[in-house]
Amino acid sequence: MAFGAEELRVLRRALALALHPRPASAEDVQDCLRLAEAVDEAAREGARLRAFLLADLARYRAALPGTAAGYLTLLEEALVVGYHPVPDDLAALRALRGNPVAAALLDRCHDLAEQDVRMRLALRAVPASRSRARTRLTALPGGLAAATGEPGRKPAEKPAEKPAAPQPKPQTPRRDRPIPTPGEVFPPRRKPAAPPANAPQQLAAV
């Protein structure tokens, strides 16, 4: 991305406003907005051109070895704009190693591939080192509280178990009075009393 003379003047004024804040004129604001729109459009156009370039590179790579000259040219252009070679590119360059241009590109792509591998390994090692540091902290006395940001917190104690309620004993029937005997339940019949001796005389007088 290249700026023209007018764009550079606008960029200089915008930087001056950023470093030394002061009320900006309407003209400065409009110029900065136009510059921002131009930069955004250039970035979008660059992304479109990159997509077209990578699509052409894939087509030329698929048509090898007949398209070796065009493929090598497109690969050089792609590397300039930040393209990182894929395993298919390395395999194609190995097949074209007899070409001096292909041999030079192979060495360059090997270096880029090694850089990518080292970067991925470094990114994977960062979370692992953090987890090991946390493990060491939790292994020390008070480390868990320090790791969780609560220095005064103690682990929760296990609540004491409540004693089991005693099982109720089977109730026996209460005997407030003794059980009656058969003689009490069925008393013997009494014999009728004998009539008095003067009973007939009383009836005769009547």
Side-chain angles (χ1 to χ4, degrees):
M1 184 181 298
F3 291 101
E6 183 62 28
E7 293 171 339
L8 288 176
R9 282 194 290 269
V10 175
L11 182 59
R12 182 178 179 180
R13 292 204 302 271
L15 292 175
L17 289 172
L19 295 175
H20 305 286
R22 59 180 177 80
S25 62
E27 183 181 359
D28 289 340
V29 173
Q30 292 299 325
D31 290 343
C32 291
L33 291 177
R34 282 194 294 268
L35 179 61
E37 292 176 358
V39 171
D40 291 341
E41 180 59 29
R44 289 191 292 268
E45 183 65 21
R48 287 193 293 268
L49 291 176
R50 177 185 173 86
F52 289 142
L53 176 60
L54 296 183
D56 287 341
L57 180 64
R59 285 193 293 270
Y60 274 76
R61 185 176 58 228
L64 287 172
T67 56
Y71 169 72
L72 296 176
T73 301
L74 290 173
L75 182 57
E76 285 182 331
E77 294 179 3
L79 294 176
V80 169
V81 297
Y83 172 72
H84 286 228
V86 297
D88 290 341
D89 293 317
L90 297 176
L93 291 174
R94 291 191 190 96
L96 301 173
R97 190 176 299 176
N99 188 319
V101 178
L105 285 174
L106 180 60
D107 294 338
R108 183 177 177 185
C109 290
H110 267 305
D111 295 339
L112 292 175
E114 290 178 359
Q115 291 177 9
D116 291 343
V117 171
R118 286 194 295 269
M119 184 177 297
R120 287 195 296 268
L121 291 176
L123 292 176
R124 291 179 182 176
V126 170
S129 62
R130 289 179 180 175
S131 63
R132 286 196 297 269
R134 180 178 176 84
T135 303
R136 288 195 297 270
L137 284 175
T138 55
L140 296 174
L144 180 59
T148 55
E150 299 178 0
R153 183 177 180 180
K154 296 182 179 179
E157 296 181 355
K158 185 178 179 180
E161 297 182 357
K162 295 182 179 180
Q167 296 293 334
K169 296 182 179 180
Q171 296 182 358
T172 57
R174 296 181 59 186
R175 295 182 180 179
D176 296 337
R177 60 182 180 177
I179 299 175
T181 62
E184 294 175 351
V185 176
F186 304 102
R189 295 181 179 181
R190 295 181 180 180
K191 296 180 179 182
N198 55 356
Q201 296 176 2
Q202 293 177 357
L203 291 175
V206 173

